[in-house]
Amino acid sequence: MQSYLIRKDILNIEAYKPGKPIEEVERELGLKGVVKLASNENPLGPSPKAIKAIQKNLKSLNRYPEGTCSYLKGKLAKALGVKKENLIFGNGSDELIDIILKTIKNPGAEIVTSDTTFVEYKICGEIMGFTVKCVPLRDFTFDLDAIKAAITKNTKVIFIANPNNPTGTYVNAQKVTGFLNDIPKDILVVFDEAYIEFVTEDDFPNLIPLINKKNIAILRTFSKIYGLAGLRIGYMIAQEKFIEYAQRVRQPFNVNSLAQAAAGAALDDKSFVKKTRSCVAKEKKFLYTTFLKFGIWFKKSAANFIFVRMNADTQKVFRKLLEKGVIIREMSQYGLNNYARITVGTRKENLKLIKALEEL
Amino acid sequence: MQSYLIRKDILNIEAYKPGKPIEEVERELGLKGVVKLASNENPLGPSPKAIKAIQKNLKSLNRYPEGTCSYLKGKLAKALGVKKENLIFGNGSDELIDIILKTIKNPGAEIVTSDTTFVEYKICGEIMGFTVKCVPLRDFTFDLDAIKAAITKNTKVIFIANPNNPTGTYVNAQKVTGFLNDIPKDILVVFDEAYIEFVTEDDFPNLIPLINKKNIAILRTFSKIYGLAGLRIGYMIAQEKFIEYAQRVRQPFNVNSLAQAAAGAALDDKSFVKKTRSCVAKEKKFLYTTFLKFGIWFKKSAANFIFVRMNADTQKVFRKLLEKGVIIREMSQYGLNNYARITVGTRKENLKLIKALEEL
């Protein structure tokens, strides 16, 4: 295989760097009981109702999944107050980013997003041959004015993570409404709301009523509050017409059977969602207090992770914490060498982090 | 969402039509005990060892999957006698088709395949903006001479399903070797070997030793012999360099945790594989004998399904069998209105099919 067969866009792409898995760290460093606060996962495990639903469906794994996620779609549509035709499911939200970009026409097309946000918008965009413009954040928050200013006649898609990953900040309802009124109607604005279930702030936008009025798409996931990151299932809410086109580029069996069953059951698991939400809220406050005590700067977060500035090179801090059995996410891939993203864990996990930080 | 935002290729694409799920047929027709012989699934269920492995991994579903499938990759590499660097996993082989096409450069690029084969080569190709040339089969078998004749300077990829789905025929080792020697070296030839584990014919090509000598890629799956269609996991074997590029376009967490665990365990489930293979061989012969008795023309198959010609419009036969609780796959999407594809089932399932056919 010579590189002349390879698409030029691909030759320059760097692959996504995931957080280190617990097993890998334990194996590499000969440690036990390693704590992972690196991937914004649910610290309480998966939804117990989801686990039960999986067990019920194991016998028929020889069968292909139901391709349209029909049962789950009906249930979710009801819960959200939208039509089934407004929904499409993906192998995680990652796949939905790819589906969106495959759907949108692309010769010369541009994407606008931020330079410090979920990197898959940029990576998927480049893979699909888009020009990706990344504008700086303002006070670690999506700068909608800067995004507006970056729009050209070639801009087809804008990605806004709200709350933003990795900074935990959000753009409020008023700003979003103004932004949507100001920009050209033919641009699709994708709001990635992976962490919306953790948000408690009153001025956070409720975009679902805008679905049929504006050219927007909302991404959500079962990976976070429902604790199903390992199963891969996310969804998009958008106009019927756009969903119809997106369905054409979706692979026929993109969402596995167990993910469908688990997600359906997790939606009913109100007590697990409540427990997770209150655990994260309480532990976030506990970490804020501790960081203040330690003189660690942080940004207040609307999500289940905290963006912090260390008084040292975080690549070094990252490595030292790793040796003590705590995995966090350092931010050097964004050029932010003094910053890290720390997922809110259980009290036990957070205490292990704090102890490790104290020892440094 | 107006269609002006949609890529032109997408406006003309028809979505893949999957086989009807059992639950859907039972619900629609008010039936019980419906038999599905439509999707070439394993009639014996999933590998029992795989189920056990899944159960062990349920607790950590809140964690993201290990992105590179490292453990499974090591195990499979050993089993196949290749290097880990020759392997990449996908959310089913479907995703690997997409990954291949994303990797290969595409302005003006062409794909050559057959007009009666797995439709995803064509659908994925069109989604990615390739021109897809589909040449006729010859005696229901991939016609390598016709494919050779269809090659132009723009041809980048050739897809050959071997054995072919839906006809069950195969191209033998001698023909494949000759073909690979004859065609330009810069074309990637993808052999989809989804059904290879069912093949008993001696002259079936063994392509793994050619991996580093020819510009080929092999697709395989855990959906068929291992009975894991519901979990979505397939793999590609190819040159290290090509795999390296393919890894760049792969989504970071494309294969779910349970699929990785299940596939690893299924590889060890030698007795299940043996049982499936002997069941399919025995039942295939039983169906051949019955079809001969009924005067139903069929093509001898190297896989776990049989391509048959009915003495009637198979859309009608399909519908009538459905009412009797048997799902088969009619072939009108290929313009083959008198043909059907029937998956080899258990004896009980096959008897239900035969009884239903008798009644027609």
Side-chain angles (χ1 to χ4, degrees):
Chain A
M1 170 60 57
Q2 283 81 15
S3 58
Y4 57 74
L5 199 61
I6 306 300
R7 197 146 56 93
K8 214 183 61 191
D9 309 303
I10 308 306
L11 293 173
N12 306 315
I13 279 169
E14 268 188 70
Y16 177 86
K17 290 186 196 106
K20 273 182 174 286
I22 292 174
E23 297 70 28
E24 196 181 312
V25 175
E26 291 186 340
R27 204 169 50 231
E28 279 177 11
L29 299 176
L31 293 172
K32 277 201 171 176
V34 165
V35 161
K36 186 180 174 203
L37 302 172
S39 301
N40 305 340
E41 295 152 339
N42 190 321
L44 303 181
S47 146
K49 284 198 176 169
I51 299 302
K52 274 191 196 148
I54 290 171
Q55 273 157 338
K56 271 191 199 158
N57 283 274
L58 292 178
K59 265 190 224 159
S60 52
L61 277 183
N62 56 320
R63 304 292 172 192
Y64 278 86
E66 198 279 296
T68 64
C69 300
S70 177
Y71 171 74
L72 172 62
K73 201 185 280 176
K75 202 161 181 173
L76 183 62
K78 214 173 150 187
L80 296 173
V82 301
K83 288 205 269 181
K84 280 177 85 165
E85 291 74 17
N86 294 122
L87 295 173
I88 183 171
F89 292 85
N91 187 40
S93 292
D94 286 359
E95 193 198 17
L96 293 167
I97 297 168
D98 180 58
I99 286 176
I100 290 169
L101 297 180
K102 275 185 181 146
T103 307
I104 305 290
K105 65 181 173 192
N106 70 36
E110 291 175 3
I111 291 168
V112 182
T113 188
S114 146
D115 64 356
T116 311
T117 188
F118 186 44
V119 291
E120 282 297 307
Y121 316 136
K122 184 166 184 276
I123 295 176
C124 290
E126 286 174 348
I127 288 170
M128 284 303 291
F130 283 77
T131 300
V132 186
K133 285 175 143 182
C134 297
V135 305
L137 296 179
R138 188 187 189 90
D139 189 24
F140 302 99
T141 308
F142 256 87
D143 183 348
L144 299 188
D145 291 330
I147 287 182
K148 206 164 69 184
I151 291 171
T152 73
K153 64 176 186 2
N154 294 321
T155 305
K156 301 290 175 198
V157 191
I158 293 169
F159 282 100
I160 298 173
N162 205 29
N164 186 37
N165 170 11
T167 58
T169 55
Y170 70 101
V171 280
N172 66 26
Q174 197 196 340
K175 278 188 187 158
V176 167
T177 310
F179 177 74
L180 291 176
N181 287 337
D182 281 359
I183 63 162
K185 278 187 205 139
D186 60 344
I187 298 173
L188 179 72
V189 187
V190 182
F191 291 90
D192 187 343
E193 299 186 337
Y195 301 95
I196 193 171
E197 294 90 352
F198 297 105
V199 175
T200 53
E201 286 76 359
D202 289 335
D203 61 344
F204 193 85
N206 173 17
L207 296 176
I208 291 180
L210 297 183
I211 281 297
N212 293 308
K213 294 176 193 154
K214 296 286 177 185
N215 199 0
I216 61 171
I218 302 169
L219 298 182
R220 294 198 183 162
T221 182
F222 285 90
S223 296
K224 306 297 178 183
I225 197 106
Y226 298 106
L228 299 175
L231 267 181
R232 319 305 302 124
I233 177 163
Y235 60 97
M236 172 161 67
I237 320 166
Q239 284 179 35
E240 277 184 53
K241 196 73 196 165
F242 185 60
I243 295 291
E244 190 202 312
Y245 290 122
Q247 293 286 9
R248 297 188 195 184
V249 307
R250 179 180 64 74
Q251 302 216 319
F253 307 109
N254 61 329
V255 179
N256 72 80
S257 314
L258 300 183
Q260 293 185 38
L267 276 178
D268 288 334
D269 206 343
K270 307 260 188 265
S271 74
F272 179 73
V273 168
K274 203 177 152 190
K275 210 168 120 189
T276 302
R277 212 181 270 143
S278 84
C279 166
V280 167
K282 193 176 128 203
E283 292 305 313
K284 199 158 59 172
K285 272 189 201 153
F286 175 65
L287 286 176
Y288 286 168
T289 315
T290 315
F291 292 160
L292 280 171
K293 209 160 55 182
F294 282 31
I296 295 175
W297 176 95
F298 62 91
K299 195 74 196 162
K300 263 195 99 175
S301 168
N304 69 335
F305 54 84
I306 309 175
F307 186 71
V308 300
R309 185 169 56 218
M310 302 289 189
N311 305 321
D313 182 325
T314 39
Q315 273 192 287
K316 281 184 200 152
V317 177
F318 168 76
R319 213 142 277 289
K320 284 188 176 163
L321 285 177
L322 211 59
E323 286 163 17
K324 294 178 184 298
V326 179
I327 321 172
I328 63 164
R329 198 68 171 272
E330 51 90 10
M331 294 283 119
S332 63
Q333 64 170 315
Y334 297 104
L336 298 167
N337 292 329
N338 291 313
Y339 293 85
R341 190 192 69 192
I342 298 175
T343 304
V344 177
T346 59
R347 180 62 55 98
K348 199 178 154 195
E349 289 172 333
N350 296 335
L351 287 172
K352 181 154 181 167
L353 164 77
I354 291 165
K355 189 163 171 279
L357 284 173
E358 274 177 329
E359 286 168 16
L360 289 188
Chain B
M1 170 62 56
Q2 284 81 15
S3 59
Y4 57 74
L5 200 62
I6 306 300
R7 198 146 56 94
K8 214 183 63 194
D9 310 302
I10 308 307
L11 293 174
N12 307 313
I13 279 169
E14 269 188 70
Y16 176 86
K17 289 187 197 106
K20 273 181 174 287
I22 292 174
E23 297 71 26
E24 195 180 313
V25 174
E26 291 186 341
R27 205 169 47 230
E28 279 176 10
L29 299 176
L31 294 171
K32 276 202 169 176
V34 165
V35 160
K36 186 181 174 201
L37 302 173
S39 301
N40 305 340
E41 295 152 338
N42 191 320
L44 302 180
S47 145
K49 285 198 177 171
I51 299 300
K52 273 191 197 150
I54 290 171
Q55 273 157 339
K56 270 191 199 157
N57 282 274
L58 292 178
K59 265 189 228 159
S60 52
L61 277 183
N62 57 321
R63 304 293 171 192
Y64 278 86
E66 199 280 293
T68 65
C69 300
S70 177
Y71 171 75
L72 172 62
K73 202 185 279 178
K75 202 161 183 174
L76 182 62
K78 214 174 151 187
L80 296 173
V82 300
K83 287 205 269 182
K84 279 177 86 166
E85 291 75 16
N86 294 121
L87 295 174
I88 183 172
F89 292 85
N91 187 39
S93 291
D94 286 358
E95 193 198 17
L96 293 167
I97 297 168
D98 180 58
I99 286 176
I100 291 169
L101 297 180
K102 275 185 181 145
T103 308
I104 305 289
K105 65 181 173 190
N106 70 35
E110 290 175 4
I111 291 169
V112 182
T113 188
S114 146
D115 63 357
T116 311
T117 188
F118 186 44
V119 290
E120 281 297 306
Y121 315 137
K122 184 165 183 278
I123 295 176
C124 290
E126 286 173 348
I127 288 170
M128 285 302 293
F130 283 78
T131 299
V132 186
K133 286 176 142 182
C134 297
V135 306
L137 296 179
R138 187 187 191 91
D139 188 24
F140 301 99
T141 308
F142 256 86
D143 183 349
L144 299 188
D145 292 330
I147 286 182
K148 206 165 69 186
I151 290 171
T152 72
K153 65 176 185 3
N154 294 321
T155 305
K156 301 291 173 197
V157 191
I158 293 169
F159 282 100
I160 298 173
N162 204 29
N164 186 37
N165 171 13
T167 58
T169 56
Y170 70 100
V171 280
N172 67 25
Q174 198 195 340
K175 278 188 187 158
V176 167
T177 311
F179 177 74
L180 291 176
N181 287 337
D182 282 359
I183 63 162
K185 277 186 207 141
D186 60 345
I187 298 172
L188 179 72
V189 187
V190 181
F191 291 89
D192 186 344
E193 298 186 336
Y195 300 94
I196 192 170
E197 294 90 351
F198 297 105
V199 175
T200 53
E201 286 77 358
D202 288 336
D203 60 346
F204 193 86
N206 173 18
L207 296 176
I208 291 180
L210 297 184
I211 280 295
N212 293 309
K213 293 176 194 152
K214 296 286 178 186
N215 199 0
I216 61 171
I218 302 169
L219 298 182
R220 294 197 184 163
T221 183
F222 285 90
S223 297
K224 306 298 178 183
I225 197 106
Y226 298 106
L228 299 175
L231 267 180
R232 318 305 301 125
I233 176 163
Y235 60 96
M236 171 161 69
I237 320 166
Q239 285 180 33
E240 276 182 55
K241 195 74 196 164
F242 186 59
I243 295 291
E244 191 202 312
Y245 290 123
Q247 293 286 9
R248 296 188 196 185
V249 308
R250 179 179 64 73
Q251 302 215 319
F253 307 109
N254 61 330
V255 179
N256 71 79
S257 314
L258 299 184
Q260 293 185 38
L267 276 178
D268 288 335
D269 206 344
K270 307 257 188 270
S271 74
F272 179 74
V273 169
K274 204 176 153 192
K275 212 168 119 190
T276 302
R277 212 181 268 141
S278 84
C279 165
V280 167
K282 193 175 129 206
E283 292 304 314
K284 197 157 62 173
K285 271 190 201 151
F286 174 65
L287 285 177
Y288 286 167
T289 315
T290 316
F291 292 159
L292 280 172
K293 210 162 53 183
F294 282 30
I296 294 175
W297 177 93
F298 63 90
K299 195 74 198 163
K300 262 195 99 175
S301 168
N304 70 335
F305 54 85
I306 309 175
F307 186 70
V308 300
R309 185 170 55 220
M310 302 289 188
N311 304 322
D313 183 326
T314 38
Q315 274 191 286
K316 281 185 200 152
V317 176
F318 168 75
R319 213 143 275 288
K320 284 189 177 163
L321 286 177
L322 210 59
E323 285 163 18
K324 293 178 184 297
V326 179
I327 320 172
I328 63 164
R329 196 69 170 271
E330 50 91 10
M331 293 282 119
S332 63
Q333 64 170 314
Y334 296 104
L336 298 167
N337 292 329
N338 291 314
Y339 294 85
R341 189 192 71 191
I342 297 174
T343 305
V344 177
T346 59
R347 180 62 55 98
K348 200 179 153 196
E349 290 172 332
N350 296 335
L351 286 173
K352 181 155 182 167
L353 164 77
I354 291 165
K355 188 162 171 280
L357 284 173
E358 274 177 328
E359 286 168 13
L360 290 187

